[in-house]
């Protein structure tokens, strides 16, 4: 059967899917009707997109207030123009043409055109304010889907003594209010808004409002306690401190769910992961649970079911009933799920561990937080390009991340790829973009449909925070497979001395009112406005309320789970300013007990307005209140390369020498500490809090940004190196975007560059190892910069006191075109001088060195060597667009420098003048002090090849008397 299905898909792709889809539609017009009971449609709109057969980007349509009928306002969508291939459309009705305003409940809702009725030659969709149903036929309307009858829109406590209700019509028969089953108040109303006063709410009881409309049955709604969630009485009554989710104890499997206001909760047990597929992905129906267990309410709002035996390997959900509506939900604490997160898995982790797994083990490479060198990576990007030559079934998977020994060869150049590349680069930590279960990727389609192409997403729409993403597993139907495979990847990374940092997104949920959290206890886990709508500080539809005890507990429990079960070494918090700093401190304190070297940092901003008090936010202003939590340094980022929001704006490396850019770079060089800068506000204050970077997954890659600011390809090589040379020689924690080391680009198929590739295909996002082969010189320079940072503790100072004592800036006669600084030496560390010179018009920059000292030059214009290129004293000459690193030579020597041309394998005299296979070779002596002193010395040979390309080779030079012996066999 599966083979027949695949054959049909191939036929579809051969003959053109769009023609088949269009032929199946009965109309090319969809009329969207929307009713609001206040009659105000000004600035209301809807966002629509093709959901099936392929999820695509959408478009906003604004309602025309002149188009009004009995069903409210309406808009006619031209399907042939805007959604020519769609069979099912997604829709969100909202206020405004952006995402900052009100949205109708239901989250992403869908219109299946194959089931829609054509009336008057057009499809119709009927939407009513605060009704989850969308009508698409006359039968739907007859069944009150959606419901146009008089009803209660909202009813909630606005404070402990006042209930406010919003109605669709004026109630002619008044209202009744019940406390549990006792009527406690009645009244009449002359408007669509009720305000009911009672002595005081008892949060242990249920309040129900009955409203009597003319010609209609009484309408009933449970009064929401949302506005009482933050009262001390609610916190005291319903803060549960025990274990939630699934645990094992005394031969029993225990299930617990926190649902304090639910009328009932039951546990549903299943044999397979999905209603339509078994655990091997074969079609198999299991629509109903094999066992349904009524759960018992225990203390502080938790529900519990204790079952005999070990139920590991079974799948489960909960059914929760709130306000008379029962919803089947997955467990927010679920430690794994089946395909598409439909059901949680009961996990026994001991049986899922790969051979060799040991708990609480991490590479012993970090003594202080400033020792971290972070490499940001997306799992799919590492292995999806054809130049990655590993196991084909592992492409884009956790297992691809674990595979070693892959190489790519072109035109005589062989480079490492994948995991080996990262290890060769020399970083010591990999930060993975979200690896928890996220939305917008159909795991069933990825597993069963070879032609399915919606395989990529950054992963910032979380569905199950404690579950690994199934599309990264070789079998998403088996909840154990993803666990074993990710642990295999962690072990492989650890074996290369690479720690693993997880990008976490607790600031919002992938769905709003449709999320499991909201179905379990409406409005608690999110911040809501006066009408019960969701605040949207995340820009994705909602924001979570970390300041509430049970959301805080969830975050702490979840981070602890990832750190202990998967041996993770750090956590990067997305939109950290949406969290309160007390929660961040509690998370850090918990992690410190596990391993004090686990690092925590985040984005010190949000994506829109949030109601969280400014005095509580984990943002720039309050990082002083989070002594061990770090934050990204956007000041230095934009100073180096220009604003990420203005594509054509260049920064210091492109020639913009404003005082702000110069001081912004100095701010990063100083690790964000207080150096008395005047153009920049200093806010990190300590180096371990300062995450220095110039590019990340967001916005344009560094290379694309340089090209957009009119930098030539040839010049981009120099600036690509210099931008991150600034970062890698700065105090704090350096952060490198994967692929920066070989000029990563994200070109669009139609031209230009993709700055927001969150759902763009692999062809845009993938790491291209052929590009590494083309720019191996850039890679080698990055590798040396990283090694230099690791070699010298002075680049990794641990306190503001040390930085202020040791760091001093050097003034030159080139003004803002040169940024130079010195790191003072001590008994165990040499003095270091770093010079960043800028545009070519500068020519050579002269830097006067400390009198009586000699310095090894480690980096120059196109050369780098962590062991040294040459030794100078008195003065150093720095070319433009160069970062020169000079390290005090503790055993001073006299340098003999010669420009010579040599032949392969020749025993040569510096005065000779020969060729090397028709290539000129410049020989630079490092640590070479006299031809009279025998010894082994290093030589860097720069070979100028075609098109101005320069390749560097390092050899050993044996000096015996007046003889020079060098083997140039590699050239």
């Amino acid at each position: 059967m599966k083979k027949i299905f695949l054959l049909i898909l191939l036929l579809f792709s051969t003959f053109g899917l769009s023609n088949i889809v269009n032929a199946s539609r009965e109309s090319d017009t969809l009329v969207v009707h929307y009713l609001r009971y206040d009659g105000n449609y000004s600035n209301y709109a809807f966002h629509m997109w093709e959901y099936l057969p392929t999820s695509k980007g959408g478009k906003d349509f604004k309602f025309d207030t002149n188009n009004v009928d009995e069903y409210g306002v309406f808009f006619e969508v031209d399907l042939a123009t805007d959604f020519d291939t769609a069979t099912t459309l997604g829709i969100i009705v909202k206020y405004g043409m952006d995402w900052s305003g009100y949205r109708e409940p239901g989250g992403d809702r869908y219109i299946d055109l194959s089931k829609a009725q054509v009336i008057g030659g057009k499809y119709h969709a009927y939407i009513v304010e605060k009704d989850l149903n969308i009508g698409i036929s006359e039968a739907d309307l007859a069944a009150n889907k959606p419901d146009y009858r008089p009803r209660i829109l909202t009813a909630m406590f606005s404070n402990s003594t006042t209930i406010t209700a919003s109605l669709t019509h004026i109630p002619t028969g008044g209202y009744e209010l019940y406390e549990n089953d006792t009527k406690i108040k009645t009244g009449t109303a002359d408007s669509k808004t009720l305000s009911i006063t009672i002595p005081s709410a008892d949060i242990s009881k249920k309040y129900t409002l009955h409203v009597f409309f003319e010609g209609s049955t009484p309408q009933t709604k449970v009064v929401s306690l949302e506005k009482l969630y933050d009262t001390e009485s609610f916190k005291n009554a319903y803060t549960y401190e025990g274990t939630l989710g699934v645990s094992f104890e005394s031969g029993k499997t225990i299930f617990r769910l926190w649902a304090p206001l639910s009328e009932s909760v039951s546990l549903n047990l299943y044999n397979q992961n999905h209603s339509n597929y078994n655990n091997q992905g074969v079609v198999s129906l299991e629509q109903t649970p094999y066992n349904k267990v009524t759960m018992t309410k225990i203390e502080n709002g938790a529900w519990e079911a204790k079952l005999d035996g070990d139920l590991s390997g079974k799948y489960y959900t909960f059914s929760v009933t709130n306000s008379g509506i029962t919803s089947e939900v997955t467990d927010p604490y679920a430690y794994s799920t089946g395909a598409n997160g439909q059901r949680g898995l009961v996990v026994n982790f001991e049986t899922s561990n790969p051979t060799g797994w040991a708990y609480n083990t991490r590479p012993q490479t970090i003594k202080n937080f400033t020792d971290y060198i972070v490499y940001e990576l997306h799992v799919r990007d590492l292995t999806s390009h054809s130049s990655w030559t590993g196991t084909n079934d592992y492409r884009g998977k956790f297992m691809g991340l674990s595979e070693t020994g892959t190489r790519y060869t072109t035109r005589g150049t062989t480079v490492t790829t994948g995991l080996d590349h990262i290890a060769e680069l020399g970083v010591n930590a990999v930060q993975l973009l979200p690896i928890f279960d996220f939305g917008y990727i159909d795991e069933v389609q990825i597993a069963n449909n070879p032609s399915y192409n919606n395989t990529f997403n950054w992963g910032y729409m979380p569905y199950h925070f404690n579950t690994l993403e199934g599309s990264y597993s070789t079998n998403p139907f088996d909840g154990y497979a993803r666990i074993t495979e990710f642990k295999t990847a962690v072990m492989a990374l650890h074996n290369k001395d690479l720690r693993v940092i997880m990008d976490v997104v607790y600031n919002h949920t992938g769905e709003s009112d449709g999320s499991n959290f909201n179905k379990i206890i409406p409005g608690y886990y999110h911040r809501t406005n006066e009408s019960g709508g969701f605040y949207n500080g995340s820009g994705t539809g909602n924001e979570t309320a970390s300041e509430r005890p049970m959301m805080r507990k969830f975050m702490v429990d979840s981070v602890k789970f990832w750190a202990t079960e998967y041996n993770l070494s750090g956590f990067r918090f997305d939109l950290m300013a949406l969290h309160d700093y007390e929660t961040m401190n509690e998370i850090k304190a918990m992690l410190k007990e596990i391993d004090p070297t686990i690092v925590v940092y985040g984005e010190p901003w949000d994506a829109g307005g949030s109601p969280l008090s400014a005095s509580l936010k984990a943002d720039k202003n309050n990082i002083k209140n989070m002594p061990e939590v770090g934050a990204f340094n956007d000041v230095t980022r934009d100073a180096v390369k220009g604003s990420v929001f203005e594509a054509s704006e260049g920064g210091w490396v492109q020639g913009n020498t404003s005082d702000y850019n110069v001081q912004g770079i100095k701010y990063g060089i100083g690790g964000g500490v207080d150096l008395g800068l005047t153009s920049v506000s200093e806010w990190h204050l300590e180096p371990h809090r300062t995450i220095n970077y110039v590019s990340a997954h967001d916005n344009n890659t560094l290379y694309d940004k340089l090209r957009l600011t009119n930098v030539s390809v040839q010049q981009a090589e120099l600036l690509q190196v210099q931008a991150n040379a600034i970062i890698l020689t700065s105090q704090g924690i350096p952060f490198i975007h994967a692929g920066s080391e070989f000029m990563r680009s994200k070109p669009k198929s139609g031209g230009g560059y993709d700055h927001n590739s969150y759902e763009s295909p692999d062809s845009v996002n993938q790491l291209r190892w052929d590009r590494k082969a083309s720019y191996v010189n850039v890679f080698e320079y990055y590798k040396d910069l990283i090694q230099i940072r690791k070699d010298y503790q002075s680049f990794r100072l641990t306190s503001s006191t040390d930085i202020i004592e040791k760091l001093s800036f050097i003034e030159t006669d080139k003004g803002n075109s040169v940024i130079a600084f010195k790191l003072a030496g001590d008994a165990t560390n040499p003095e270091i001088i770093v010079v960043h010179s800028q545009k070519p018009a500068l020519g050579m920059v002269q830097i006067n060195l400390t009198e009586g000292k000699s310095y090894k030059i480690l980096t120059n214009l196109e050369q780098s060597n962590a062991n040294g290129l040459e030794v100078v004293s008195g003065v150093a000459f720095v070319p433009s667009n160069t970062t020169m690193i000079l390290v005090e030579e503790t055993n001073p020597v006299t340098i003999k420098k010669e420009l010579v041309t040599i032949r392969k394998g020749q025993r040569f005299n510096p005065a000779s003048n020969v060729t090397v296979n028709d290539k000129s070779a410049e020989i630079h002596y490092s640590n070479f002090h006299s031809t009279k002193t025998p010894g082994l010395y290093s030589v860097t040979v720069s070979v100028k090849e075609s098109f101005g390309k320069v390749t560097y080779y390092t050899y050993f030079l044996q000096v015996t008397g007046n003889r020079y012996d060098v083997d140039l066999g590699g050239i």
Side-chain angles (χ1 to χ4, degrees), residues 767-786:
L767 291 171
R768 296 187 53 151
W769 303 109
D770 57 339
R771 199 164 175 88
K772 178 185 178 183
S774 297
Y775 294 104
V776 70
N777 56 320
V778 175
F779 167 76
E780 292 291 342
Y781 207 122
Y782 268 72
K783 187 168 75 170
D784 282 333
L785 286 168
I786 290 168

Side-chain angles (χ1 to χ4, degrees), residues 632-868:
F632 284 96
N633 177 9
D634 57 334
V635 176
T636 301
R637 176 197 70 192
D638 289 355
V640 171
K641 67 171 185 178
S643 170
V644 297
F645 303 112
E646 300 294 335
S648 62
E649 178 186 312
W652 185 84
V653 296
Q654 295 105 316
N656 185 342
T657 58
S658 69
D659 285 342
Y660 182 84
N661 282 345
V662 171
Q663 293 204 20
I665 291 173
K666 287 183 175 181
Y667 178 73
I669 289 170
V673 308
D674 187 355
L675 297 175
L677 301 174
T678 56
S679 298
V680 173
S681 297
E682 294 146 323
W683 51 277
H684 283 93
L685 304 179
E686 290 293 339
H688 64 266
R689 297 179 189 159
T690 308
I691 312 300
N692 286 321
Y693 73 119
V694 288
S695 61
H697 69 276
D698 278 321
N699 312 117
N700 289 116
T701 68
L702 176 56
Y703 174 81
D704 294 346
K705 173 67 175 180
L706 293 172
R707 297 289 287 129
L708 287 166
T709 53
N710 298 316
V711 173
S712 68
V713 174
Q714 185 176 6
Q715 189 75 357
E717 291 190 43
L718 297 175
L719 302 190
Q720 189 90 10
V721 167
Q722 186 173 48
N724 270 311
I726 292 172
I727 298 304
L728 287 163
T729 56
S730 293
Q731 303 300 323
I733 299 174
F735 174 102
I736 300 171
H737 180 216
S740 295
E741 67 278 16
F742 51 81
M743 313 273 276
R744 183 182 187 174
S745 180
K746 293 184 181 181
K748 292 181 179 178
S749 57
Y753 303 104
D754 196 333
H755 71 97
N756 189 26
S757 62
Y758 72 99
E759 61 177 0
S760 299
D762 288 330
S763 58
V764 172
N765 286 288
Q766 60 200 354
L767 291 171
R768 296 187 53 151
W769 303 109
D770 57 339
R771 199 164 175 88
K772 178 185 178 183
S774 297
Y775 294 104
V776 70
N777 56 320
V778 175
F779 167 76
E780 292 291 342
Y781 207 122
Y782 268 72
K783 187 168 75 170
D784 282 333
L785 286 168
I786 290 168
Q787 187 60 51
I788 290 165
R789 182 178 183 87
K790 292 161 74 173
D791 285 347
Y792 296 100
Q793 179 64 43
S794 294
F795 288 123
R796 297 176 281 116
L797 300 177
T798 60
S799 72
S800 57
T801 302
D802 283 348
I803 292 171
I804 292 169
E805 178 184 336
K806 292 178 178 292
L807 174 66
S808 60
F809 289 99
I810 301 171
E811 297 299 321
T812 73
D813 60 357
K814 303 297 184 180
N816 284 353
S817 294
V818 174
I819 302 174
F821 63 93
K822 180 189 295 184
L823 293 166
D826 55 33
T828 57
N829 297 290
E831 178 180 290
I832 297 175
I833 295 174
V834 178
V835 185
H836 305 299
S837 69
Q838 197 208 54
K839 50 195 174 186
L842 284 173
M844 285 287 187
V845 176
Q846 179 176 321
I847 298 293
N848 295 321
L849 305 175
T850 304
E851 186 175 352
K853 292 185 178 181
S854 298
Y855 297 82
K856 290 188 295 186
I857 295 178
L858 307 187
T859 60
N860 209 333
L861 177 63
E862 295 176 324
Q863 299 171 285
S864 60
N865 189 320
N867 296 316

Side-chain angles (χ1 to χ4, degrees), residues 157-173:
F157 280 96
S158 54
N159 55 55
S160 61
T161 61
T162 305
I163 295 171
T164 302
S166 175
L167 315 175
T168 63
H169 298 74
I170 298 174
T172 56

Side-chain angles (χ1 to χ4, degrees), residues 1 61 69 99 137 141 276 286 309 369 376 402 413 421 522 525 543 569 580 640 665 692 770 772 786 808 838 920 971:
M1 186 68 185
F61 300 91
D69 62 12
W99 296 101
S137 66
L141 297 179
N276 299 326
E286 187 188 28
F369 291 129
E376 186 197 37
S402 72
T413 299
H421 163 84
Y525 288 99
E543 60 182 91
S569 296
D580 65 290
V640 171
I665 291 173
N692 286 321
D770 57 339
K772 178 185 178 183
I786 290 168
S808 60
Q838 197 208 54
S920 64
I971 297 181

Side-chain angles (χ1 to χ4, degrees), residues 601-615:
Y601 55 90
E603 294 179 301
W605 49 74
D606 56 32
S610 171
L612 182 62
S613 170
S615 64

